[in-house]
Amino acid sequence: MKEQKQKNIFPMDFQWGVATSAFQLEGSPAADWATWDPVLAGNPAITGHYGRFREDLKLLKELGVNAYRFSIEWSRIQPREDTWDHGAISHYQEIIDILRGYNIEPMITLHHFTNPRWFAERYPWHRSKSIEKFLRFTEMMVSTLKGVRYWITFNEPYVILIGGYLEGCTPPGEQDVPHSLLALKNIFTCHGKAYDIIHRYVPDAQVSIAHNMSVFAPWKKWNPLDRLLKKSANYFYNHSIITAFQTGIFIVKFPFSRAVEIEVPIKGKLDFFGVNYYTRIHLRFNPFKKMGVELRHLDIDGHGLTNIGWEVHPRGLAKVLRYASRLNLPIMITENGIASHDSQEKVKYMKKHIDVIEKCLRDGLNIRGYFYWTLIDNYEWLLGFDARFGLYHVDFETLKRSPTAAASYYTYLIQSRSSL
Ligand code: GAL
């Protein structure tokens, strides 16, 4: 009832979208991840999206979204260092053209975790040559793909650094702090330079990264060490990147160690800010764990844990959006979603998070878009095929796509929030 009385606060040009990444839908034999996770050997083409993209793009039309975030699989475009696959470039151009035909605004992610194998072997991110290689790819993409205004250079750079260089669970599998700092410098240098390249070819481009933001809390509130960890994690994970876009300097400060300052050419190199938000993380000081930190998801507020054990914490979205608004730029929620086998859980998750966005808009935050993660069930990094984030269910035997209740609920939400 309350809903009907209040005027719709979502701007008419609000981007209602879904987000995907190429590798998670279609795999790629030339990517570093293809051989990283053994589960992919049994299902290298994952959902078969590379061949079925026309059918999958129709689902976007069926949903009624007006925006779609997807990534270009670099290893398909440049399977070898000296080879550009023009067929693959045309493939992605066709996706853009179909979207335009449906009046759906494309948003392209240039780098969503995967690298061509030749790049990973010869120029991993901690080597300075990585910059030149990524920028060649960027320039090739922006100079040939037509009809794209929204560009994300990197998906979740901090996740690349933490997984690949501190925990070592994702490529290149290192546990090396000096290398992680070099990789940080190189990745953000790439962003700064790619920002300029994109604007050179697409003068009205809107460029960002998609930054994973989380809410942190002390495991035990009474424990000063847990509280210290929470403060450090919140500063590093959520705020240091915002400050770096304002000043051009990253201040990396881990608990019990000296702060390191890293200069990067990214000051002001953002047109909007992309936020990926999923969950809250509780932290405990544990001297027997790596860097003295133990992470946990606790169901404190009774919203439950998802299929992959993440806490559902809608209030946290408001918190991170407030942090992001320090940049004084439009904000896009470039990812938000839940892994569940239960459609109704997906509906609830979506409703609760969109209610939070609505409240934030009423509080005056400049939010311009929401991209649900994700369109169809896919491959989840290190978790295989059972983390079902899709609005459409995929039967991995037959590859049949079927709508979940969350698909029609999203259509309803979009329609009801797109009218005056
Ligand atoms: C994000 C990532 C996506 C997807 C999602 C769900 O961090 O960008 O690729 O995997 O998490 O876990």
Side-chain angles (χ1 to χ4, degrees), residues 302-414:
H303 292 293
L305 300 178
T306 73
N307 244 26
I308 52 175
W310 296 358
E311 184 192 6
V312 177
H313 186 56
R315 258 189 310 130
L317 177 58
K319 217 176 225 182
V320 300
L321 291 175
R322 275 199 301 277
Y323 298 160
S325 64
R326 272 180 50 214
L327 281 160
N328 281 325
L329 288 171
I331 301 169
M332 298 264 195
I333 295 136
T334 35
E335 281 182 34
N336 173 245
I338 174 174
S340 179
H341 287 239
D342 178 344
S343 291
Q344 290 309 324
E345 290 301 317
K346 287 189 186 171
V347 167
K348 277 194 243 160
Y349 184 97
M350 184 189 279
K351 177 174 184 335
K352 285 176 186 168
H353 286 80
I354 290 178
D355 282 352
V356 167
I357 297 171
E358 188 156 5
K359 164 108 186 24
C360 290
L361 283 167
R362 293 198 193 284
D363 291 345
L365 264 58
N366 187 5
I367 306 163
R368 300 286 181 82
Y370 174 84
F371 293 74
Y372 189 79
W373 181 272
T374 186
L375 181 62
I376 65 177
D377 292 337
N378 60 18
Y379 161 72
E380 175 61 19
W381 315 106
L382 303 177
L383 293 176
F385 306 104
D386 202 40
R388 293 187 174 271
F389 278 94
L391 292 173
Y392 290 80
H393 173 275
V394 174
D395 176 331
F396 286 102
E397 294 292 317
T398 62
L399 298 185
K400 187 175 177 331
R401 285 79 161 131
S402 337
T404 69
S408 49
Y409 185 70
Y410 196 32
T411 305
Y412 154 76
L413 272 181
I414 296 172

Side-chain angles (χ1 to χ4, degrees), residues 21 24 69 112-113 155-156 159 212 276 278 308 310 335 373 379-381 389:
S21 90
Q24 288 176 277
R69 174 179 170 223
H112 198 123
F113 294 166
N155 183 66
E156 303 185 346
V159 175
N212 185 284
N276 294 354
Y278 289 90
I308 52 175
W310 296 358
E335 281 182 34
W373 181 272
Y379 161 72
E380 175 61 19
W381 315 106
F389 278 94

Side-chain angles (χ1 to χ4, degrees), residues 6-49:
Q6 280 191 330
K7 194 170 167 287
N8 175 33
I9 187 78
F10 285 88
M12 289 309 283
D13 60 354
F14 192 83
Q15 294 200 8
W16 291 101
V18 294
T20 63
S21 90
F23 187 86
Q24 288 176 277
L25 289 176
E26 61 195 38
S28 172
D32 53 356
W33 266 90
T35 44
W36 181 262
D37 188 344
V39 83
L40 287 161
N43 185 9
I46 308 181
T47 68
H49 176 74

